Amino acid sequence: MLKKLPIGIQTFSKIREDNYVYIDKTKEAYELITQYQYVFLSRPRRFGKSLFIDTLHNIFEGKKEYFEGLYIYDRWNWDDTYPVIKIAFGGSRSAKELISGLFSILRDNGRRLGVQTGIEDDYAVSFKELIYQVYAKYNKKVVVLIDEYDKPILDNLDQIEVAYENREILKRLYTEIKNSDQYIRFTFLTGVSKFSKASIFSGLNMLKDITLEPEFGNICGYTQHDLTTTFREYLEGVNLEEIRQWYNGYNFLKDYLYNPFDILNFIDSNFRFRNYWFSTGMPAFLIKLLESRQYFLPDLSSIVVDEKLLDSFDIDNLDIEVILFQSGYLTIKEVEKTPFNTIQYRLYFPNREVTESFHDYVIQYFTGEKNPSKHKTPMYIALREGDIEKFMKAVKGLFFSIGYSIYRRSEVSRYEGFYVSMLYAYLQGMGYEVRVEEETNRGRIDMVMIIDDKVYIFEFKVDGKTGEALRQIKEKGYKDKYAGKGKEIYLVGMEFDSKEKNIVNYEWELCA
């Protein structure tokens, strides 16, 4: 009989007691707790951080019976137990709610561990006192586990003053960890984001950040090996390559990974390909940030960032690329060394689920269109058939409909890149390969889309000269890069007018 699927279960003991599937992460746990004292890990939501935290909790409390058959079982001294203080943040929409919640969490820990701090007027002092009282009672150093350390900030980026207040509250709380160093055996913090040390971690400058340490790259998530072994019987008859394209692709400098939430729900839903992870919620502030910054969406296909990726998230300077990476909408494609011996990262969308869902969400927000397929389907059919006239009719219909829904509402619709960004979002949402700023030896192609046996080479101009777009494609020989590959090559020049808010001219040619 197959083991049950642990959908939504973050309690390690329940998984082991009730015969749920468990992917062994105790090797990483063992290496962490034997090598380091203060550790930080950033991973996207629904990636298994809470389960890993609870696994550590059970290890330190010596629950040996749950670990039989796992890597750590015959390596850890189960008689050497430690008291554990565990903090897991819930929702808080004000500083008052956060402080009240903190006191409740500290009291709960005190009751579980059999101590009372007696301090109710200062959350930070109460936390420090709790650590000391636990240490004094058990005569053992204390383990501190903090799950979603950044949730009170991230949940309030739509009300920035609250986010600022909560940041200062957390900064003061975490400073007490360093102040209690002599009483602490191990500290582990997880979250979605990595705030800069200056903004929240100034009191924890001894943290070891393992977010992009290759040794711990697989600490959360499922590998391809997991699918072909542990989940083999669950996936009988399913095309594994199609699953890989839909859900694999997250990279934290070791193996390419699946988000567990996707795989478990895919199996549980009788192998229906859907956006399981994405549908659990995209931060509204992120889309508003794209709008306010007038972000050129095609740039998302060719992002290169330096090591700020590790350490630059801050309320005072919200970096779109960093947020997209840390939230799981972008991941690492390549690691490159610069001529100056520094590291930079090339980012991309991890898989089909995120690519299609992200762009559909953008379309819905910017156009007001609740059903992107209304325009996407005619475009898709036209491109598969090689019918450029039908494609252009669909594109014009798209921008005509946008004119009635958001031009008055949104400032972003007034900048030139809006038109290309919207078309790019629709094309990306079709699930086929779209390349932006494709390099040739004579220049950069604005956009290339490959559908089956057809290659579409697009050049866009806004408020330019008639015929300029197609002329550039031909003069620079953009088609040569795809010649001789047995595909039909369509050269498509599209010219937009910012006053008309639509295409005013297009020309195209079919090359053998």
Side-chain angles (χ1 to χ4, degrees):
M1 183 177 178
L2 294 177
K3 291 184 177 182
K4 293 179 286 188
L5 299 173
I7 299 174
I9 299 177
Q10 300 170 351
T11 305
F12 179 76
S13 59
K14 181 175 178 61
I15 287 175
R16 299 296 286 173
E17 286 174 346
D18 295 344
N19 199 35
Y20 285 92
V21 173
Y22 176 70
I23 300 299
D24 190 359
K25 301 295 183 179
T26 63
K27 182 177 188 294
E28 290 87 349
Y30 177 77
E31 290 170 351
L32 271 186
I33 62 183
T34 55
Q35 293 179 37
Y36 304 109
Q37 183 179 357
Y38 297 96
V39 184
F40 171 80
L41 173 70
S42 168
R43 284 292 185 272
R45 57 192 166 83
R46 304 279 186 169
F47 231 90
K49 301 186 298 294
S50 297
L51 177 57
F52 188 79
I53 283 259
D54 201 55
T55 304
L56 292 176
H57 191 163
N58 281 267
I59 292 171
F60 280 114
E61 288 191 342
K63 302 294 181 60
K64 181 179 181 179
E65 64 273 19
Y66 297 139
F67 293 89
E68 187 172 357
L70 302 181
Y71 177 89
I72 200 172
Y73 184 73
D74 57 0
R75 292 174 172 85
W76 182 250
N77 179 6
W78 298 101
D79 294 326
D80 191 15
T81 61
Y82 297 87
V84 176
I85 295 173
K86 183 177 178 182
I87 297 175
F89 287 103
S92 55
R93 295 293 285 169
S94 70
K96 183 178 179 180
E97 283 186 21
L98 174 57
I99 292 174
S100 175
L102 274 172
F103 278 123
S104 178
I105 290 169
L106 297 177
R107 284 194 299 270
D108 287 345
N109 275 276
R111 281 192 293 269
R112 176 172 55 82
L113 293 165
V115 301
Q116 290 184 335
T117 64
I119 299 174
E120 291 291 334
D121 58 347
D122 189 309
Y123 63 90
V125 176
S126 186
F127 180 40
K128 182 179 180 180
E129 182 69 10
L130 175 65
I131 294 172
Y132 173 75
Q133 292 289 351
V134 172
Y135 167 79
K137 175 178 179 177
Y138 292 89
N139 196 28
K140 294 292 292 286
K141 290 192 174 183
V142 180
V143 171
V144 179
L145 304 176
I146 301 178
D147 195 14
E148 304 291 0
Y149 88 101
D150 53 351
K151 185 174 175 60
I153 302 174
L154 296 183
D155 283 356
N156 291 288
L157 287 177
D158 61 331
Q159 43 178 10
I160 200 67
E161 290 306 316
V162 175
Y164 277 119
E165 289 182 278
N166 286 356
R167 182 185 68 178
E168 295 309 305
I169 291 168
L170 294 178
K171 182 177 180 180
R172 186 160 175 261
L173 180 77
Y174 299 145
T175 298
E176 296 304 331
I177 296 175
K178 184 175 182 178
N179 293 340
S180 304
D181 177 68
Q182 67 268 41
Y183 309 123
I184 291 178
R185 159 65 175 85
F186 181 79
T187 295
F188 187 66
L189 295 90
T190 74
V192 170
S193 63
K194 170 66 188 295
F195 280 87
S196 64
K197 290 180 180 178
S199 69
I200 198 169
F201 284 136
S202 58
L204 279 174
N205 53 9
M206 68 293 200
L207 274 178
K208 171 64 177 179
D209 182 7
I210 63 167
T211 299
L212 292 181
E213 290 288 332
E215 179 183 4
F216 299 106
N218 295 354
I219 197 169
C220 295
Y222 296 161
T223 65
Q224 190 68 32
H225 178 72
D226 294 329
L227 261 67
T228 57
T229 54
T230 303
F231 291 101
R232 179 176 59 83
E233 294 182 72
Y234 297 84
L235 295 169
E236 284 186 1
V238 183
N239 186 330
L240 293 183
E241 175 58 23
E242 192 171 9
I243 297 175
R244 187 192 65 78
Q245 291 176 4
W246 264 87
Y247 300 122
N248 190 246
Y250 297 96
N251 179 13
F252 302 101
L253 304 186
K254 195 170 185 180
D255 295 322
Y256 285 103
L257 299 172
Y258 295 88
N259 186 314
F261 191 77
D262 276 325
I263 296 305
L264 296 176
N265 279 279
F266 174 74
I267 296 171
D268 189 59
S269 300
N270 295 316
F271 313 138
R272 291 180 63 190
F273 287 99
R274 299 179 62 184
N275 59 343
Y276 299 105
W277 172 76
F278 193 95
S279 65
T280 60
M282 182 171 180
F285 83 87
L286 182 52
I287 292 296
K288 292 178 181 178
L289 192 61
L290 290 170
E291 179 181 26
S292 66
R293 300 279 178 87
Q294 299 186 358
Y295 198 87
F296 188 55
L297 290 180
D299 285 347
L300 294 176
S301 293
S302 55
I303 291 177
V304 177
V305 297
D306 58 25
E307 290 183 287
K308 70 179 181 181
L309 190 68
L310 295 174
D311 199 34
S312 69
F313 188 98
D314 198 1
I315 305 172
D316 301 311
N317 182 28
L318 294 174
D319 190 304
I320 291 175
E321 291 85 1
V322 172
I323 296 172
L324 286 170
F325 169 75
Q326 294 182 348
S327 301
Y329 301 106
L330 295 176
T331 194
I332 297 171
K333 184 177 183 179
E334 295 173 352
V335 181
E336 303 168 345
K337 281 190 175 181
T338 71
F340 312 104
N341 287 324
T342 58
I343 297 293
Q344 62 185 21
Y345 302 92
R346 189 172 297 275
L347 307 181
Y348 75 139
F349 290 103
N351 51 47
R352 182 171 174 178
E353 178 200 16
V354 177
T355 301
E356 293 186 19
S357 300
F358 179 88
H359 290 96
D360 281 352
Y361 191 96
V362 168
I363 290 167
Q364 291 173 24
Y365 178 83
F366 283 115
T367 69
E369 179 60 69
K370 294 182 178 179
N371 179 21
S373 295
K374 177 180 177 181
H375 298 290
K376 189 165 63 175
T377 300
M379 290 185 201
Y380 170 77
I381 293 172
L383 290 173
R384 287 204 64 176
E385 295 175 349
D387 191 332
I388 302 298
E389 300 300 326
K390 186 185 293 184
F391 172 72
M392 289 299 174
K393 182 178 179 181
V395 174
K396 286 185 176 182
L398 158 67
F399 286 109
F400 183 78
S401 67
I402 292 175
Y404 285 95
S405 59
I406 68 146
Y407 282 128
R408 291 182 180 179
R409 173 182 70 82
S410 177
E411 289 294 323
V412 74
S413 64
R414 298 186 183 127
Y415 80 96
E416 295 179 356
F418 171 77
Y419 310 101
V420 179
S421 288
M422 285 300 97
L423 182 57
Y424 166 80
Y426 271 94
L427 297 181
Q428 274 283 25
M430 292 180 187
Y432 282 89
E433 185 176 1
V434 179
R435 304 173 185 171
V436 179
E437 296 293 320
E438 179 83 349
E439 289 189 9
T440 74
N441 59 356
R442 301 184 65 184
R444 292 175 180 265
I445 308 172
D446 279 351
M447 193 181 300
V448 177
M449 185 171 187
I450 301 175
I451 297 184
D452 302 331
D453 63 341
K454 298 176 177 61
V455 177
Y456 291 92
I457 297 176
F458 295 100
E459 186 69 28
F460 307 108
K461 299 295 179 183
V462 179
D463 297 335
K465 296 179 181 179
T466 300
E468 182 180 5
L470 181 62
R471 183 163 55 250
Q472 178 172 322
I473 296 174
K474 296 170 69 174
E475 287 179 354
K476 295 200 172 184
Y478 288 159
K479 70 178 179 62
D480 296 345
K481 184 167 185 175
Y482 296 93
K485 297 184 178 181
K487 294 182 182 291
E488 295 179 344
I489 302 175
Y490 292 79
L491 313 181
V492 185
M494 301 172 65
E495 294 156 13
F496 294 85
D497 185 287
S498 58
K499 293 181 180 179
E500 294 292 328
K501 298 180 175 60
N502 213 321
I503 297 171
V504 291
N505 184 61
Y506 67 89
E507 298 174 304
W508 65 277
E509 290 184 10
L510 171 62
C511 304

